[in-house]
Amino acid sequence: MLKSLVILSIGLFLVGLCVCAPIAPSSPTDFFSESDRRAITSLISSSKSKDGSFGSLADTFYAVNISRSPQYSDAAKLIDTSLTCQYAKQYLNNKQTVESLYYAISIVETLNCGSAVGNDVTTVLLSGVRPSSKLETKYLAVAAIARLSAAGHITFDESELSGLVSNLVALQEHDGTFRSEVDVKGSSALNSGYVAHILTLINAQDQETSPDEVLESLFDIFKDANEEDEDVFYFTGDSRLDDLKATALVLSGVNSLLQSGIADRATFGGSVTRENIVGIAEFAVRHKRVATLRDAFYLNILLEAVSNNEWHVPLVLTLSQGSLFASSRRAGGTGNEGSAKIRVTDIYGRFAAPATVYIVRAYAVDDPRNVVLTNQEAVASTEDNTAYSFNFLAKKPEPGYYTIEFSITPKGQSRFSAIKDNRNIKVVSSVDVVDAQIRVSNTRDSEDNYGAVHTASYPNSVAQPISASSAQYLSVSFRVKNQVSSKPVKVHQAFVRLTHVESGHTAASFNAKSVKSGQYSLTVDLNSQSGFHGVSGKYALEIVVGDPFIANAVSWNIATLDISFPAQSGSQGQARPTRGRVPTTIESKISGSNRGGRPDIEHQFRKADRRPPAVVSLAGGVLAVGNLDNYPRGASTMMALGFHVCLGLILGLFVIYWLALNIVQMLGYLFVLSFPTIFFGLKTLQSVYLNRTKSN
């Protein structure tokens, strides 16, 4: 007996795990769509300048390389080859740094307008691979040399690169990452990306030093990458802004090492898991909204590495709609009525492979035991080879969120792997408000037999106004039910609103309490509601029902109440202040037009003080300027003149700063002007002092 109970407990535990355990993500939640491509093309177009550049040399490099990607055929038309080549070549002749040469060489070689470079360019590039150079500089120099060598546009001694692998080993940290310089502490995954590309570009297997130690560190980095959550996998750069660049360079770099044969597939092929690739793909699609050409360039590299890697090319499962509308006309229908549509694509939203798509099960998010669908095969679309559909509303699920578990298997020989993943979908439905009753009674007890019960069917209203006095109680009750299943629905908002008919003033709103699932009621003391301000008249009674899971928010004007309040002390029509306040009463809104509007408020400004005529002020200014008695004479005149000229230049600088300069530029110019101003000023003051001394 005890043995049977133990077996039963274990079985129930395993069933619970099967029901509640989430499926590990094996597919990105989105893809890089055609609209995303157009957005980046528009970014390139908006950055274009008349000289063929795209703002800066670096941005021009990014734009040219993006435009040569197969995904951006429209962007290629934006490149003026002649002007862009002319723009890039000027950096080959002057302002030579490793970085500027890398960008310029990449541009001219990509546009096929390059030519043999001189010794000065070769010298600068080879200086970038010295042991003392930064790792990023080494990468840029090696990449530029590789582009020139492939085109036959450079001649150099290849022994200059022979010690590069040993230099990389010297930069290696104990945890397998790499420093940017020998004497600099700290490392990042971005540096590992540089190393991976350097090894590929120099064909590390031909080097004197074996790259195996470096390769082992590069592939081990996937064990320590950052996971933002269970779905996202990425690498960090020197700052948060470099995460996209670091992830792109690491994945594309290690992928190139395998594809080129530098890294042995048997040794390193299993270092990157399927979950790594799916997590990186998810990181890419979450960062596809880019604002700079730099980010667009590295996003393109990352997407290409995801779509063509040596480990796992992910299928992308997306729901074509985030919600389904269940109505009495659609649910359980035929054809496409009630169908949920999905797409199975590659990372670019294109057709990947024919596949068999099964819905393993679908269950409510808040109650996994509430299974509404099991073992149903999705039907492939005849119009779109990426689309599939299935009838999710056949069993009339209640409104709410549902999790759908999918199993997708590509047919035939395919580089795509089978996936199991889940997606959430929202079901919304139409509701009806039924069994609405209104009662006006003398007691709070809604079952009081005094007074008739008034009913109406949505959307009709009670035919005649319902009379009530301020000494009575108003009771309202109603039910909310699903149009499809006729089951009661508990909604997020249900309240009753009273609005004064003549003025449109909302006098009061009352939350309806849920008596039981789908049934709501309220009872209010009309005399205790300050919103009426003691004003008699007709009030529209409105039932309002709303919820995120209903498609038709209900606003039902069910009846009109004719409420009478006792006359207030004072003149008729004046409302008594409530609780020490003087509110804007409904009566004032109604009778304001009869009493006439209040007089307009006219602002009168204070009269200006008497001042002397303008000619007096001008005359005083002329006399002050014309007083040249203290102006230095003789040799000091030039010093005084120079001082005033410098003051004029400073004032002019302030004007130019306001129009065109930024604060840093203005302070630079002001710093230069301060020296002659101080010099001339001191000489002028000395001259004035000497003149006064002599006169005394």
Side-chain angles (χ1 to χ4, degrees):
M1 180 67 177
L2 181 60
K3 183 178 180 181
S4 300
L5 289 174
V6 171
I7 294 174
L8 179 60
S9 300
I10 294 174
L12 291 174
F13 176 73
L14 293 175
V15 170
L17 284 179
C18 293
V19 170
C20 301
I23 297 175
S26 59
S27 168
T29 57
D30 199 3
F31 53 81
F32 190 75
S33 65
E34 182 62 33
S35 62
D36 299 323
R37 283 190 285 272
R38 287 196 297 268
I40 291 182
T41 301
S42 177
L43 177 63
I44 296 174
S45 177
S46 62
S47 304
K48 187 176 181 180
S49 302
K50 294 181 179 180
D51 61 354
S53 70
F54 291 83
S56 67
L57 181 63
D59 283 340
T60 304
F61 161 79
Y62 298 137
V64 168
N65 281 272
I66 293 171
S67 68
R68 288 304 182 264
S69 172
Q71 315 302 326
Y72 296 94
S73 56
D74 291 342
K77 303 174 184 177
L78 300 174
I79 307 298
D80 188 324
T81 303
S82 177
L83 285 177
T84 305
C85 284
Q86 183 179 351
Y87 170 79
K89 285 181 178 180
Q90 65 182 339
Y91 288 90
L92 296 176
N93 301 321
N94 50 48
K95 302 179 183 179
Q96 293 179 347
T97 63
V98 173
E99 183 180 19
S100 64
L101 288 176
Y102 165 73
Y103 290 138
I105 290 169
S106 298
I107 291 171
V108 297
E109 296 299 339
T110 300
L111 298 178
N112 297 319
C113 56
S115 58
V117 296
N119 292 331
D120 54 340
V121 173
T122 304
T123 302
V124 174
L125 293 178
L126 291 177
S127 68
V129 298
R130 293 171 182 167
S132 59
S133 300
K134 290 185 177 180
L135 187 54
E136 181 182 9
T137 304
K138 288 184 174 69
Y139 162 68
L140 297 177
V142 170
I145 292 172
R147 290 299 300 267
L148 292 171
S149 297
H153 291 159
I154 189 173
T155 302
F156 70 101
D157 186 359
E158 295 185 3
S159 63
E160 296 278 356
L161 305 180
S162 59
L164 198 50
V165 173
S166 59
N167 293 339
L168 298 179
V169 173
L171 296 174
Q172 191 172 353
E173 292 277 23
H174 296 295
D175 60 357
T177 56
F178 295 85
R179 302 186 302 275
S180 61
E181 295 181 77
V182 175
D183 299 329
V184 174
K185 294 183 179 180
S187 59
S188 69
L190 179 59
N191 293 332
S192 299
Y194 293 142
V195 171
H197 282 277
I198 290 173
L199 294 179
T200 303
L201 292 169
I202 65 174
N203 194 4
Q205 294 294 356
D206 295 337
Q207 296 287 307
E208 296 177 358
T209 305
S210 173
D212 291 346
E213 182 181 353
V214 178
L215 291 174
E216 185 176 351
S217 299
L218 287 175
F219 285 92
D220 283 346
I221 195 176
F222 283 85
K223 299 177 182 178
D224 302 319
N226 292 327
E227 291 188 84
E228 200 169 274
D229 51 41
E230 294 182 356
D231 303 337
V232 180
F233 189 88
Y234 67 100
F235 297 98
T236 56
D238 297 329
S239 69
R240 189 71 176 174
L241 297 176
D242 286 332
D243 290 352
L244 182 60
K245 176 181 179 180
T247 307
L249 290 182
V250 170
L251 182 61
S252 60
V254 296
N255 188 46
S256 299
L257 288 172
L258 277 181
Q259 291 179 342
S260 63
I262 296 173
D264 182 57
R265 295 176 187 271
T267 305
F268 301 106
S271 301
V272 182
T273 66
R274 173 175 176 167
E275 288 73 20
N276 294 153
I277 299 299
V278 173
I280 289 175
E282 181 66 23
F283 174 79
V285 296
R286 290 191 185 184
H287 291 78
K288 64 181 182 177
R289 306 284 193 268
V290 294
T292 64
L293 291 175
R294 176 181 183 270
D295 286 344
F297 171 73
Y298 288 111
L299 175 65
N300 186 49
I301 290 178
L302 183 56
L303 291 173
E304 289 183 349
V306 168
S307 65
N308 183 25
N309 66 80
E310 294 293 309
W311 300 279
H312 167 68
V313 181
L315 285 171
V316 181
L317 167 65
T318 53
L319 285 169
S320 298
Q321 71 267 52
S323 62
L324 287 176
F325 175 46
S327 70
S328 57
R329 292 175 296 175
R330 296 186 182 185
T334 59
N336 292 327
E337 296 177 350
S339 291
K341 298 178 176 61
I342 64 171
R343 293 188 66 194
V344 180
T345 65
D346 66 0
I347 195 68
Y348 290 109
R350 302 170 304 197
F351 172 72
T356 301
V357 180
Y358 268 95
I359 294 83
V360 179
R361 67 189 181 115
Y363 55 89
V365 170
D366 56 355
D367 184 9
R369 294 171 297 179
N370 180 17
V371 179
V372 298
L373 195 65
T374 57
N375 297 328
Q376 180 175 325
E377 183 176 1
V379 179
S381 171
T382 57
E383 300 176 355
D384 183 356
N385 54 8
T386 67
Y388 300 81
S389 62
F390 59 97
N391 193 341
F392 186 79
L393 302 179
K395 292 189 177 181
K396 301 179 181 180
E398 292 301 306
Y401 283 107
Y402 292 84
T403 297
I404 308 172
E405 294 181 1
F406 292 94
S407 175
I408 302 175
T409 306
K411 297 178 181 178
Q413 297 294 327
S414 174
R415 63 193 183 105
F416 298 93
S417 304
I419 63 172
K420 289 185 178 181
D421 213 335
N422 54 36
R423 294 290 182 267
N424 288 343
I425 195 168
K426 177 181 176 182
V427 175
V428 298
S429 178
S430 297
V431 297
D432 287 328
V433 178
V434 297
D435 299 338
Q437 295 183 350
I438 304 169
R439 182 195 296 269
V440 177
S441 59
N442 293 327
T443 66
R444 182 173 289 277
D445 184 5
S446 60
E447 300 298 327
D448 185 2
N449 291 326
Y450 174 80
V453 175
H454 304 273
T455 62
S457 298
Y458 181 79
N460 300 318
S461 304
V462 176
Q464 299 297 326
I466 302 172
S467 299
S469 70
S470 61
Q472 292 181 307
Y473 293 84
L474 171 68
S475 298
V476 181
S477 64
F478 55 90
R479 288 194 309 111
V480 181
K481 72 171 187 177
N482 191 319
Q483 277 188 0
V484 178
S485 62
S486 296
K487 293 181 180 180
V489 176
K490 185 177 181 180
V491 295
H492 183 66
Q493 287 184 329
F495 60 93
V496 173
R497 183 162 57 201
L498 286 170
T499 304
H500 192 265
V501 174
E502 190 171 352
S503 67
H505 170 74
T506 299
S509 296
F510 314 102
N511 288 325
K513 295 182 179 180
S514 177
V515 180
K516 57 183 180 180
S517 181
Q519 185 169 346
Y520 298 85
S521 67
L522 62 90
T523 301
V524 295
D525 181 1
L526 295 177
N527 190 47
S528 66
Q529 303 303 316
S530 60
F532 295 103
H533 303 306
V535 178
S536 302
K538 292 182 179 180
Y539 292 81
L541 177 63
E542 183 181 12
I543 295 176
V544 181
V545 174
D547 191 88
F549 297 108
I550 64 174
N552 59 323
V554 176
S555 178
W556 178 16
N557 194 343
I558 185 174
T560 300
L561 295 183
D562 191 354
I563 305 177
S564 59
F565 290 88
Q568 306 295 333
S569 59
S571 60
Q572 187 175 3
Q574 293 288 337
R576 182 175 57 194
T578 306
R579 297 180 184 177
R581 296 175 296 174
V582 183
T584 302
T585 64
I586 305 173
E587 185 66 25
S588 66
K589 293 183 180 180
I590 301 170
S591 57
S593 59
N594 297 330
R595 294 197 305 265
R598 293 183 178 182
D600 293 338
I601 298 176
E602 296 181 359
H603 294 282
Q604 293 184 356
F605 296 96
R606 189 184 68 178
K607 293 183 178 180
D609 296 332
R610 293 187 62 185
R611 295 183 179 182
V615 65
V616 176
S617 301
L618 291 174
V622 170
L623 291 174
V625 173
N627 182 15
L628 301 178
D629 289 343
N630 291 326
Y631 199 83
R633 301 285 196 273
S636 301
T637 303
M638 296 305 297
M639 296 297 175
L641 183 61
F643 176 62
H644 286 86
V645 170
C646 289
L647 290 179
L649 290 175
I650 291 175
L651 293 175
L653 177 62
F654 290 158
V655 174
I656 297 174
Y657 160 65
W658 180 263
L659 297 175
L661 301 179
N662 57 44
I663 186 67
V664 176
Q665 293 171 327
M666 189 274 289
L667 290 175
Y669 293 126
L670 185 60
F671 179 75
V672 174
L673 284 174
S674 63
F675 291 103
T677 304
I678 294 173
F679 173 76
F680 288 122
L682 286 174
K683 293 296 183 181
T684 302
L685 291 175
Q686 288 176 357
S687 175
V688 172
Y689 174 74
L690 291 174
N691 289 338
R692 289 182 177 178
T693 303
K694 291 179 181 179
S695 63
N696 292 332

